[in-house]
């Protein structure tokens, strides 16, 4: 595209007002916008909590480097989380998938022609404004207009403005076959206008689903057991792995916990907002204890994050500042800020290498502090799980 295009008039009431573009987490913000179009106004924190909220899951890196190790601090992947959320709202959700790009585009055209924006799943690597270096096909966006004359799709994502994307880029993002979570042109449909908040039992059921995710899994890479294993592995690698691998692991965890749609502190900030908004349904001593426990958990996550981009020297300090500056620029969605982010993105490999060069003198200290931070985090998460189990 040769220059900025004016955003077309969106379908329904999706307009550039606060809360109707942007959001913290891709699936809950996309669902919030879809519900708004259909006359249902529910906050993103409420949606997040009703989906089951927080958890932990860890996937080691694939053999041969097909994709990096990753963590998730939400309760369940796609479509588990969004299906649980839809059920809590009384919705019957259908996930449409196809291997045929032409069919996927025709279905998208029909939905938009009928006045219905569409929640689509994409590999964010192929969305130009993300400037992503890794593939992830579980990202949700709202597609609300197609301009086939200019070859442009208009979407609403986590940045607070409409985003133009070339139609061929959107098609590639929807049809990506890369791991993890190839999207297979997935889109969602439901009778959105019938969504309703559940009663108090429904809220308590959502909280108990979160409790079960933290303490009930029998898999070694899930829940609090998975968090403990991840902490032990990361601490061990800080002591023994090549410095470049250590920096890659630390920065990947920082991105997953703070920037990858979590709202900060591994979704614990967003879950705290849910618990506060859920007071009319959950009020009582157990609810008060859960609010105290989640605040302690958030503090423990913040303490850990300080060590994920450690102060190893000038390069380490600059690396942390550059990641934050880049995230702020990307989240704005403004063309000049995206250009600024591209410059920062280009600097990151050299900064990581320089920070790795500073690491050796700090390995023992960093490993000890990281192990202590994980111990504190596990105590806080166990207390939080216990508090949630009493609601």
């Amino acid at each position: 595209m040769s220059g900025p295009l004016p955003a077309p008039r969106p379908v329904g009431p999706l307009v550039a007002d606060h809360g109707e573009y942007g959001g913290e987490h891709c699936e809950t913000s996309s669902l919030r916008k879809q519900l708004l179009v259909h006359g249902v106004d529910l906050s993103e924190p409420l949606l997040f909590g009703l989906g089951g909220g927080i958890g932990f899951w860890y996937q080691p890196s694939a053999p041969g480097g097909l994709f990096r190790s990753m963590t998730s601090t939400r309760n369940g992947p796609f479509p588990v989380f969004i299906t649980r959320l839809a059920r809590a709202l009384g919705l019957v959700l259908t996930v449409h998938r196809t291997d045929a790009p032409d069919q996927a585009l025709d279905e998208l055209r029909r939905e938009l022609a009928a006045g219905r924006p569409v929640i689509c799943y994409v590999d964010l690597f192929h969305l130009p404004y993300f400037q992503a270096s890794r593939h992830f096909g579980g990202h949700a966006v709202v597609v609300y207009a197609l301009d086939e004359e200019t070859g442009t799709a208009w979407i609403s994502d986590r940045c607070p403005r409409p985003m133009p994307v070339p139609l061929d880029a959107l098609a590639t993002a929807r049809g990506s076959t890369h791991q993890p979570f190839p999207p297979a042109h997935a889109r969602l449909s439901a009778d959105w206008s019938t969504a309703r908040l559940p009663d108090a039992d429904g809220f308590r059921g959502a909280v108990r689903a979160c409790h079960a995710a933290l303490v009930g899994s029998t898999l070694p890479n899930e829940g609090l057991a998975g968090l403990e294993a991840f902490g032990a592995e990361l601490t061990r690698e800080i002591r023994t792995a090549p410095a470049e691998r250590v920096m890659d692991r630390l920065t990947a965890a920082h991105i997953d916990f703070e920037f990858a749609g979590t709202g900060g502190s591994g979704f614990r900030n967003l879950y705290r907002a849910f618990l506060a908004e859920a007071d009319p349904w959950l009020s009582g001593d157990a609810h008060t204890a859960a609010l105290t426990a989640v605040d302690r958990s958030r503090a423990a996550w913040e303490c850990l994050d300080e060590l994920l981009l450690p102060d190893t020297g000038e390069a380490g300090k600059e690396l942390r500042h550059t990641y934050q500056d880049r995230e702020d620029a990307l989240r704005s969605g403004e063309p000049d800020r995206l250009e600024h982010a591209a410059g920062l993105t280009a600097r990151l490999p050299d900064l990581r290498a320089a920070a790795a060069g500073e690491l050796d003198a700090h390995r023992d200290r960093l490993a000890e502090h990281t192990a202590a931070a994980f111990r504190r985090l596990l105590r806080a998460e166990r207390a939080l799980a216990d508090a949630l189990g009493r609601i």
Side-chain angles (χ1 to χ4, degrees):
M1 292 179 289
S2 59
L5 295 173
R9 181 178 180 82
V11 174
L14 193 70
V15 296
D17 291 336
H18 178 71
E20 297 187 9
Y21 285 104
E24 295 296 339
H25 168 48
C26 67
E27 283 191 303
T28 49
S29 63
S30 292
L31 181 56
R32 168 172 162 72
K33 295 161 198 171
Q34 185 70 279
L35 295 177
L36 279 171
V37 168
H38 292 84
V40 181
D41 187 357
L42 301 177
S43 75
E44 190 177 354
L46 282 180
L47 294 174
F48 179 73
L50 289 172
I54 54 176
F56 186 84
W57 170 83
Y58 167 56
Q59 175 181 274
S61 58
L66 292 177
F67 51 89
R68 69 168 174 83
S69 64
M70 65 176 295
T71 57
S72 172
T73 49
R74 191 187 73 176
N75 179 7
F78 171 74
V80 174
F81 176 86
I82 196 70
T83 301
R84 185 192 301 122
L85 171 52
R87 189 182 305 119
L89 299 175
L91 297 173
V92 178
L93 184 73
T94 302
V95 181
H96 304 268
R97 291 187 174 98
T98 178
D99 292 330
D102 290 344
Q103 178 184 339
L105 179 57
D106 286 344
E107 291 173 353
L108 181 58
R109 287 179 179 134
R110 283 197 295 271
E111 289 297 300
L112 295 176
R116 294 186 291 266
V118 184
I119 299 176
C120 294
Y121 286 79
V122 295
D123 181 346
L124 54 78
F125 177 85
H126 297 291
L127 297 181
Y129 60 88
F130 255 98
Q131 302 179 20
S133 61
R134 304 282 184 170
H135 291 275
F136 177 74
H139 187 70
V141 299
V142 176
V143 181
Y144 71 84
L146 300 180
D147 185 341
E148 301 201 54
E149 183 176 339
T150 64
T152 306
W154 289 88
I155 67 178
S156 177
D157 201 339
R158 293 193 300 130
C159 45
R161 65 187 306 276
M163 298 302 297
V165 174
L167 278 176
D168 57 353
L170 178 63
T172 301
R174 296 188 68 200
S176 172
T177 58
H178 288 277
Q179 296 289 346
F181 313 123
H185 300 97
R187 65 178 177 88
L188 306 182
S189 69
D191 187 358
W192 306 111
S193 64
T194 65
R196 297 293 183 270
L197 287 175
D199 60 15
D201 285 342
F203 273 85
R204 283 191 288 269
V207 171
R208 288 169 187 154
C210 176
H211 169 263
L214 290 169
V215 302
S217 176
T218 59
L219 298 177
N221 64 325
E222 291 185 354
L224 297 185
L227 180 59
E228 184 172 15
F230 174 74
E233 179 182 301
L234 187 61
T235 301
R236 182 174 62 252
E237 288 208 344
I238 290 171
R239 291 188 186 277
T240 63
E244 293 79 6
R245 175 173 172 79
V246 172
M247 292 311 302
D248 284 347
R249 292 293 307 275
L250 293 176
T251 54
H254 174 69
I255 290 168
D256 286 348
F257 296 157
E258 289 299 304
F259 295 156
T262 74
S265 296
F267 280 116
R268 273 56 179 174
N269 291 346
L270 197 55
Y271 198 70
R272 204 280 180 198
F274 160 71
L275 287 176
E277 288 193 39
D279 179 73
W281 296 271
L282 301 176
S283 61
D285 291 344
H287 178 248
T288 301
L291 285 169
T292 299
V294 77
D295 282 336
R296 290 173 178 162
S297 174
R298 291 164 64 215
W301 280 96
E302 290 171 6
C303 180
L304 173 63
D305 186 61
E306 288 295 317
L307 300 168
L308 296 178
L309 286 180
D311 182 3
T312 54
E314 291 303 315
K317 292 176 184 176
E318 188 174 358
L319 184 62
R320 172 176 282 275
H321 173 77
T322 300
Y323 267 113
Q324 185 62 62
D325 191 8
R326 177 180 181 271
E327 176 69 8
D328 293 343
L330 291 174
R331 286 293 301 272
S332 77
E334 297 289 343
D336 60 335
R337 298 284 287 147
L338 293 178
E339 185 176 350
H340 174 64
L344 297 174
T345 300
R347 295 180 57 208
L348 285 173
D350 288 342
L351 284 174
R352 282 196 299 268
E358 298 174 340
L359 182 66
D360 282 346
H362 303 273
R363 282 182 185 265
D364 288 344
R365 173 187 62 83
L366 181 58
E368 290 171 6
H369 289 181
T370 302
F374 270 105
R375 288 194 295 270
R376 177 188 178 188
L377 177 59
L378 282 162
R379 288 194 298 270
E381 289 281 291
R382 290 185 181 113
L384 174 58
D386 182 63
L388 296 176
R390 295 198 300 270
I391 288 181

